[in-house]
Amino acid sequence: MSSTGNVILSNQANTREVSESAFAMFDEHGTVVAWTQAAERLVGYSAGDVVGRSAALVLPLSEEAPTISAFVEQCRTQSGWSNATAVRHQDGRMLDINLRISTLWGQDGTVRWLISVTDTDTLSRQAMNGSVRESLLTRAPIGIAVRDPQLLCTWVNDTMGCHDGISRDRRLGRRFTDVLPGVKTEALEAVMRQVLHSGTTKVHQYRMWPPTSPRQEHKMAASFFCLLGADGQALGVCSINVDITESRQARERLAILSEASTRLGRTLDVMQTGQELADLAVPLLADFAAVDLEQSVSFGEGPPVRIGPTDGRLPVFRRAGLASIHQGVPESAWAHGDRVHRTPASPFTDVLRTGRSHLEPILDTAPGTWIDEDPIRAQKIRQHGMHSVMVVPIRARRALLGVALFIRTEDAVPFQELDLLLAEELVSRAALSLNNAREHTTCLVLQRNLLPHRLRGGVAVEAASRYLPADIDAGVGGDWFDVIPLSGARVALVVGDVVGHGINAAATMGRLRTAVHTLADMELPPDELLARLDDTVQRLAEQEADTPNQTSAMVGATCLYAVYDPITRRCVMAGAGHPPPAIIDPQGRVTFPDLPTGAPLGFVLGAHFEAVELEVPEGSLLALYTDGLIETRDHDIEVGMQRLGTALAQPNLSLEDLCTRATETFPDQSPCDDVTLLLVRTRSLSSAQVASWTLPGDQTAVRSARHLTARQLTEWGLEDLEDSTKLIVSELVTNAVRHSTGPIGLRLIKHQVLTCEVSDTSDCYPRQRRARTTDENGRGLFMVSQLSRRWGARSVSDGKVVWAEQDLTSAPSETFGTPPALDERLAC
């Protein structure tokens, strides 16, 4: 055998049809000159359809290369081309493919290009089956030789000479047996003739000792396929040769990575996932690895960054993963969680712009290169001998999640294409976990922003809460809670649970929480508020339907709404398909009130809700919760309610400690639903903070009200508020006299604010209007609104209450004289 390359055929030839990859050739003018049966199966065009026509018929054109001539020039400049793209099938549909274009040289320096196309779906199925052979072949350095029907070599690429040591000039115009005589090469030519005759594709494996390493055995794989002309007849045979020695090693390493990467899906914390990705790469693939995540991924806020032109503004990245063969990761200029600085001229910018990986087998560390734009990074690179770099984008569709950096320092072997393939495979698996974690983080951020940041119980209650998202399988849900201050020192307590999980449930929760706030501001009693909220849910379901005739989508929720009055120490509550609250008195006795369940919101048209009124001693504990706290896969609700009551029957513990005890009622199980708990401890106002009178329903009521108000404010030391309060009382009492019958109630409440309440027997609410300059009336409520921080009205069993609040710290800046009593038009 010749010293240029000893070739021995494998004892077991692997002959099978390679249907996953399709090949074609086009010339320097962009005209298709050869086609294959596999190409016809992939894109639907026969050889007669495309040979002799422009390659633009099937090749993807882009903004960078909008014409076939520009595409050819791009291939010439880049010595080929490879990318994931799409081609058009003959039936018009688009196929996602991996495309590789290799430069072939002929005699006299002429050029042609070989197109290799692999269906992405096929690769995905192979990856799921644990086989990466074809994907490795599509990225591995391949040797290509094209021979005519007489088996004379007509076209060859440069890689072929690296495999067997035969130069281009020696190979072109000769048969294989002419340059490498022997029985084995004659057998190979016999296979080529068989391919030419039958049109089938053959795959053979063989061993060789290339001249670059004559003592090291290399395992090679050669695929032979027939090239067809426009008439469908054989033009020649093409051989694709791959050194599978490294491919086999890569498969072994990839199998290890695949097994290890199962850890990437165990957490929904993006920073932890980034760290796991770095840990998996070192030392198996790199000596140092860093994972930088785009800021919106780390914090779940803001829109994701899209791959494309940066317009000079680079996204903000934070370091999420660090790993090194050296203890303490001395190679990194940034610590975990730090904001990472990137320079416009660095390879990272190209990665962000193109979405493609960057491989720099030999890192140029000479002065004046891009690394000197950042002195700290330049020092680290030179200090630790970083000599080979890979930068891989972490992407989900067109969204950029981050970048992964792989560097070799101690390992003297530079990164190669196969190393990049392994890195991309690992990063793509991590990207799936990161994207899931990002969506989960977005849900949590959305829910956190939609839920109250601070509970304001005023003088009525002390409040604490706990929200625990569901497990990984269930995800974020639509639980919400609220403590809403009402007039008269009262407070509304709310807990609700939207059907379903995920970001849609969280968004629906936000809409319902806003609706509850709006209805609470209307001072509606609990049963009426739930009826109005049920109408809102019904309308939301109708809006979710795609067409007017379509059945409404299911947008359901449960809710418990309660109003506690610290003056009367009474609580009115109503429920809509929600479990009853737990009430623990100051002695630790636990009760669950017999509250009518009611239908869940959005499930029954015209649902009716009933309210229950209870007296709650001062210092009692009220627990409002969702069913995720009391219901598990192994225990029914009654068991959960009993455990909850036991956990809360500790009157001396703080609310925060009680929240912790209550949410750990099933410590051995992960929740199958979101867990929400709202705890309030009731307070009461002393009689010294409340003053009330009953006034006659005539004009004498105004003077009496002013006198009683002035005396009470003096007793409370609020003389600075006397003028404004007397004017407010005058206007409200005057309206009550004019538009109602029977006695009038006046009540002053001193708590965090000063509240003035006037009650009467009319159920018509006052409405502020704009009085014209010639009008004698209509300015009363305008002055009330100017003198108070807020005002409003609410229904009571025997009429209504009109109220106004003033801050205790200072009187309003503008005061009015004491005008005659003014009336106010009412809207009934």
Side-chain angles (χ1 to χ4, degrees):
M1 301 290 285
S2 170
S3 61
T4 58
N6 299 319
V7 181
I8 301 177
L9 281 175
S10 174
N11 293 329
Q12 295 181 345
N14 178 16
T15 58
R16 69 180 183 88
E17 183 76 16
V18 181
S19 59
E20 294 84 5
S21 297
F23 297 89
M25 286 180 63
F26 66 96
D27 63 17
E28 55 189 0
H29 302 294
T31 301
V32 178
V33 295
W35 199 245
T36 61
Q37 292 180 354
E40 179 177 353
R41 287 191 296 270
L42 181 63
V43 298
Y45 292 100
S46 66
D49 295 329
V50 295
V51 174
R53 299 180 62 183
S54 172
L57 182 65
V58 291
L59 284 177
L61 301 179
S62 63
E63 295 181 359
E64 297 178 356
T67 63
I68 190 61
S69 59
F71 187 83
V72 171
E73 184 60 32
Q74 183 184 58
C75 293
R76 188 191 307 275
T77 303
Q78 300 178 3
S79 298
W81 191 75
S82 64
N83 200 0
T85 183
V87 297
R88 186 176 300 278
H89 192 275
Q90 188 183 31
D91 59 15
R93 57 190 171 94
M94 299 303 294
L95 301 175
D96 292 327
I97 62 160
N98 282 333
L99 179 67
R100 178 171 182 161
I101 298 178
S102 303
T103 307
L104 302 182
W105 299 95
Q107 292 180 330
D108 302 324
T110 54
V111 176
R112 285 190 179 178
W113 284 275
L114 181 76
I115 309 172
S116 171
V117 179
T118 307
D119 190 351
T120 302
D121 291 339
T122 300
L123 293 178
S124 299
R125 290 194 300 270
Q126 291 171 342
M128 289 187 293
N129 293 333
S131 171
V132 294
R133 178 181 182 278
E134 294 301 330
S135 59
L136 285 167
L137 291 180
T138 57
R139 294 294 301 273
I142 60 175
I144 305 172
V146 177
R147 298 180 181 276
D148 63 15
Q150 288 73 43
L151 300 185
L152 300 177
C153 183
T154 54
W155 305 95
V156 67
N157 73 339
D158 292 335
T159 305
M160 197 66 191
C162 299
H163 284 176
D164 56 21
I166 301 174
S167 67
R168 184 198 310 172
D169 292 338
R170 285 188 58 201
R171 194 187 310 268
L172 287 172
R174 296 180 176 87
R175 292 169 48 182
F176 197 16
T177 52
D178 292 337
V179 294
L180 194 61
V183 176
K184 302 304 181 181
T185 52
E186 291 177 357
L188 282 176
E189 287 193 348
V191 174
M192 297 181 197
R193 293 190 184 94
Q194 184 181 0
V195 170
L196 284 169
H197 181 264
S198 64
T200 59
T201 299
K202 301 294 183 181
V203 179
H204 279 262
Q205 293 184 9
Y206 58 93
R207 293 175 294 159
M208 67 175 299
W209 288 262
T212 54
S213 54
R215 296 184 179 182
Q216 181 181 1
E217 177 187 275
H218 282 241
K219 291 188 176 181
M220 308 293 293
S223 299
F224 301 94
F225 55 89
C226 185
L227 294 174
L228 305 177
D231 56 1
Q233 299 301 311
L235 293 178
V237 61
C238 180
S239 65
I240 303 293
N241 298 265
V242 182
D243 187 339
I244 62 173
T245 306
E246 294 184 0
S247 300
R248 183 191 61 189
Q249 297 171 354
R251 286 199 300 270
E252 294 172 353
R253 295 162 67 190
L254 185 56
I256 298 173
L257 291 175
S258 300
E259 181 179 356
S261 65
T262 57
R263 293 182 295 167
L264 293 172
R266 298 187 305 174
T267 177
L268 289 176
D269 183 286
V270 293
M271 300 296 280
Q272 183 175 344
T273 302
Q275 182 58 48
E276 289 176 348
L277 172 58
D279 290 337
L280 288 171
V282 176
L284 184 61
L285 182 61
D287 298 330
F288 166 71
V291 178
D292 299 331
L293 297 181
E294 196 272 320
Q295 186 161 254
S296 68
V297 179
S298 304
F299 296 98
E301 298 177 350
V305 171
R306 298 293 177 181
I307 293 174
T310 60
D311 297 329
R313 294 173 297 180
L314 297 179
V316 176
F317 290 89
R318 293 194 179 274
R319 183 134 293 178
L322 275 174
S324 171
I325 60 174
H326 301 111
Q327 188 174 4
V329 198
E331 300 95 332
S332 178
W334 297 278
H336 191 273
D338 284 354
R339 178 172 175 170
V340 178
H341 175 66
R342 300 295 186 198
T343 57
S346 72
F348 295 95
T349 304
D350 287 336
V351 170
L352 302 182
R353 179 179 57 84
T354 63
R356 295 195 292 266
S357 301
H358 172 81
L359 169 63
E360 198 165 346
I362 306 298
L363 179 62
D364 186 1
T365 59
T369 59
W370 64 268
I371 66 173
D372 284 330
E373 291 187 356
D374 188 332
I376 298 178
R377 180 168 50 200
Q379 179 185 4
K380 292 286 186 179
I381 290 175
R382 296 186 175 105
Q383 178 183 354
H384 296 282
M386 301 181 187
H387 64 84
S388 192
V389 176
M390 294 187 297
V391 182
V392 180
I394 309 172
R395 51 187 297 181
R397 304 180 184 91
R398 291 290 298 173
L400 179 71
L401 306 182
V403 290
L405 174 67
F406 305 95
I407 292 178
R408 281 183 176 168
T409 55
E410 301 296 330
D411 188 346
V413 179
F415 286 125
Q416 302 297 326
E417 283 283 342
L418 286 177
D419 296 308
L420 182 60
L421 173 63
L422 294 174
E424 290 176 335
E425 177 71 17
L426 176 57
V427 169
S428 67
R429 299 183 185 211
L432 178 61
S433 299
L434 282 169
N435 193 44
N436 292 337
R438 176 177 68 95
E439 293 179 355
H440 184 77
T441 301
T442 301
C443 289
L444 290 177
V445 170
L446 173 63
Q447 185 143 7
R448 185 168 60 247
N449 289 336
L450 292 174
L451 292 176
H453 296 171
R454 183 170 59 91
L455 298 176
R456 296 185 299 148
V459 297
V461 296
E462 174 193 3
S465 64
R466 196 63 52 87
Y467 169 73
L468 303 176
D471 58 15
I472 293 177
D473 294 331
V476 177
D479 288 11
W480 89 92
F481 58 91
D482 246 322
V483 177
I484 306 173
L486 302 176
S487 64
R490 300 170 306 135
V491 67
L493 311 173
V494 191
V495 165
D497 184 1
V498 174
V499 172
H501 295 89
I503 195 168
N504 290 333
T508 301
M509 173 271 289
R511 300 168 77 176
L512 294 186
R513 179 173 179 250
T514 301
V516 171
H517 268 268
T518 301
L519 296 172
D521 287 343
M522 296 172 62
E523 303 276 1
L524 298 175
D527 52 345
E528 185 176 346
L529 182 142
L530 290 181
R532 299 278 190 94
L533 188 62
D534 183 59
D535 292 339
T536 300
V537 175
Q538 297 282 357
R539 288 195 299 271
L540 288 177
E542 294 173 359
Q543 294 171 6
E544 293 297 325
D546 293 334
T547 62
N549 297 327
Q550 180 181 340
T551 303
S552 298
M554 186 61 67
V555 181
T558 66
C559 185
L560 178 66
Y561 184 84
V563 175
Y564 172 70
D565 189 338
I567 298 177
T568 63
R569 295 189 299 279
R570 301 196 63 84
C571 184
V572 184
M573 62 184 68
H578 205 84
I583 302 178
I584 300 90
D585 68 15
Q587 288 72 43
R589 292 186 292 266
V590 181
T591 59
F592 291 90
D594 187 12
L595 182 66
T597 304
L601 302 171
F603 283 84
V604 179
L605 290 175
H608 176 69
F609 304 96
E610 296 182 32
V612 171
E613 185 172 0
L614 305 171
E615 184 173 355
V616 182
E618 181 180 5
S620 296
L621 182 69
L622 272 68
L624 285 70
Y625 51 89
T626 56
D627 56 7
L629 179 62
I630 59 173
E631 186 177 22
T632 67
R633 296 183 177 93
D634 302 325
H635 302 87
D636 57 22
I637 291 180
E638 287 73 17
V639 174
M641 293 172 65
Q642 182 179 359
R643 290 195 180 189
L644 175 63
T646 302
L648 296 177
Q650 303 290 333
N652 297 326
L653 293 181
S654 68
L655 293 185
E656 288 296 331
D657 290 340
L658 289 173
C659 281
T660 301
R661 284 175 55 89
T663 52
E664 294 177 351
T665 53
F666 295 101
D668 55 333
Q669 293 185 3
S670 299
C672 56
D673 196 1
D674 285 7
V675 171
T676 298
L677 175 64
L678 173 63
L679 292 182
V680 298
R681 184 168 280 137
T682 62
R683 299 166 175 162
S684 64
L685 291 180
S686 67
S687 57
Q689 295 176 272
V690 182
S692 58
W693 304 273
T694 301
L695 306 174
D698 54 35
Q699 291 297 331
T700 63
V702 177
R703 179 174 297 179
S704 298
R706 291 167 59 84
H707 173 72
L708 294 171
T709 297
R711 187 176 64 185
Q712 187 62 52
L713 293 181
T714 301
E715 182 178 333
W716 282 340
L718 300 177
E719 292 87 350
D720 290 345
L721 297 178
E722 180 177 336
D723 290 342
S724 59
T725 306
K726 286 166 61 177
L727 183 54
I728 291 173
V729 167
S730 297
E731 300 304 329
L732 298 184
V733 172
T734 297
N735 282 345
V737 170
R738 287 179 177 267
H739 301 286
S740 68
T741 60
I744 298 171
L746 171 64
R747 185 167 72 167
L748 299 179
I749 308 171
K750 178 191 174 187
H751 50 112
Q752 292 176 321
V753 294
L754 175 65
T755 301
C756 171
E757 295 183 344
V758 174
S759 59
D760 58 51
T761 57
S762 173
D763 57 0
C764 293
Y765 277 49
R767 183 183 66 190
Q768 181 179 332
R769 67 183 181 88
R770 184 182 299 275
R772 294 170 297 183
T773 56
T774 57
D775 290 342
E776 296 182 1
N777 302 317
R779 299 177 179 83
L781 287 182
F782 172 75
M783 287 191 291
V784 171
S785 67
Q786 296 297 305
L787 293 169
S788 60
R789 64 194 298 268
R790 65 174 188 149
W791 73 276
R794 67 177 184 269
S795 295
V796 292
S797 58
D798 54 354
K800 70 174 182 298
V801 174
V802 184
W803 53 269
E805 292 178 353
Q806 299 178 83
D807 291 320
L808 297 177
T809 54
S810 62
S813 59
E814 181 179 359
T815 59
F816 295 86
T818 305
L822 301 175
D823 71 340
E824 189 70 29
R825 291 189 178 181
L826 303 181
C828 300

